[in-house]
Amino acid sequence: MKVYSMYILLLSMCVALVTTSCKEEKQVIKQVEVPFTKEGELSLLKKGTDSLIQRLDIELATSQTERDLGLMYRNELKDHQGMLFVFPNSAPRSFYMRNTYIPLDIIFLDENSTIISIQKDAKPMDESSLPSNGSAQYVLEINAGLSKKWNLEVGDTIDFFAL
């Protein structure tokens, strides 16, 4: 009788496991679009003259969680928008495009807000390392091609403020 009871218990546990497993497989996970949230404004300035190249609305990534997420899972970024990553110190940086659906230009800036290097046309979903050419405290991400269109170059600067 004990063997029969153990068999029934084991069988009911298997049925419960299969039922639970089937229910989980039928769940549909819906990805939520992450909207752009204007948190500040940024001006790109030409080296030597400080003339305005372009003004952008920016989203700020100041915490580790925000910096880790970046522009992942976004379907669009308008040409007048960007994300500014703010780090607590200046150090060599490296970015990648994991779970990033839009092509980007990644602009590395030093502690004086001066462009030190630009990674142009970063490919969506590419996990290759995209390093800075030196120590960076700020990183600006904009749509791919804009750094060329705006003729951005090493030595240009930014000025920004949070809202």
Side-chain angles (χ1 to χ4, degrees):
M1 190 71 174
K2 280 187 172 183
V3 173
Y4 181 75
S5 296
M6 288 293 283
Y7 178 76
I8 295 295
L9 178 62
L10 185 58
L11 182 61
S12 62
M13 287 174 61
C14 287
V15 169
L17 181 61
V18 168
T19 305
T20 303
S21 180
C22 290
K23 286 181 184 174
E24 288 176 10
E25 287 179 319
K26 291 181 183 179
Q27 288 180 339
V28 176
I29 299 173
K30 184 178 178 183
Q31 184 175 323
V32 177
E33 172 69 19
V34 180
F36 179 86
T37 304
K38 180 178 176 178
E39 298 175 321
E41 294 180 6
L42 180 143
S43 297
L44 289 157
L45 306 167
K46 197 52 145 171
K47 67 178 173 183
T49 64
D50 284 339
S51 61
L52 180 67
I53 299 169
Q54 188 68 34
R55 185 164 285 128
L56 299 172
D57 294 335
I58 54 170
E59 197 166 325
L60 295 165
T62 56
S63 72
Q64 188 61 51
T65 302
E66 291 168 335
R67 290 190 297 264
D68 288 345
L69 185 60
L71 289 172
M72 290 181 182
Y73 309 108
R74 311 278 180 115
N75 291 318
E76 78 170 335
L77 184 67
K78 295 187 179 3
D79 285 352
H80 69 278
Q81 297 174 333
M83 178 170 275
L84 183 66
F85 296 77
V86 180
F87 293 90
N89 61 346
S90 188
R93 307 280 175 208
S94 186
F95 277 48
Y96 58 83
M97 298 287 288
R98 179 185 302 153
N99 299 318
T100 305
Y101 306 145
I102 51 179
L104 299 172
D105 287 347
I106 303 171
I107 303 164
F108 297 94
L109 304 109
D110 66 15
E111 66 278 358
N112 298 315
S113 303
T114 301
I115 296 175
I116 60 166
S117 64
I118 303 171
Q119 290 282 353
K120 296 181 180 185
D121 301 312
K123 294 174 182 53
M125 307 299 284
D126 187 352
E127 294 190 28
S128 301
S129 177
L130 302 167
S132 61
N133 292 338
S135 292
Q137 186 162 0
Y138 305 99
V139 179
L140 176 64
E141 290 184 340
I142 57 176
N143 280 326
L146 290 179
S147 64
K148 182 177 181 178
K149 179 180 177 181
W150 297 335
N151 195 30
L152 294 181
E153 55 191 355
V154 171
D156 291 342
T157 61
I158 63 167
D159 186 27
F160 69 94
F161 64 90
L163 297 177

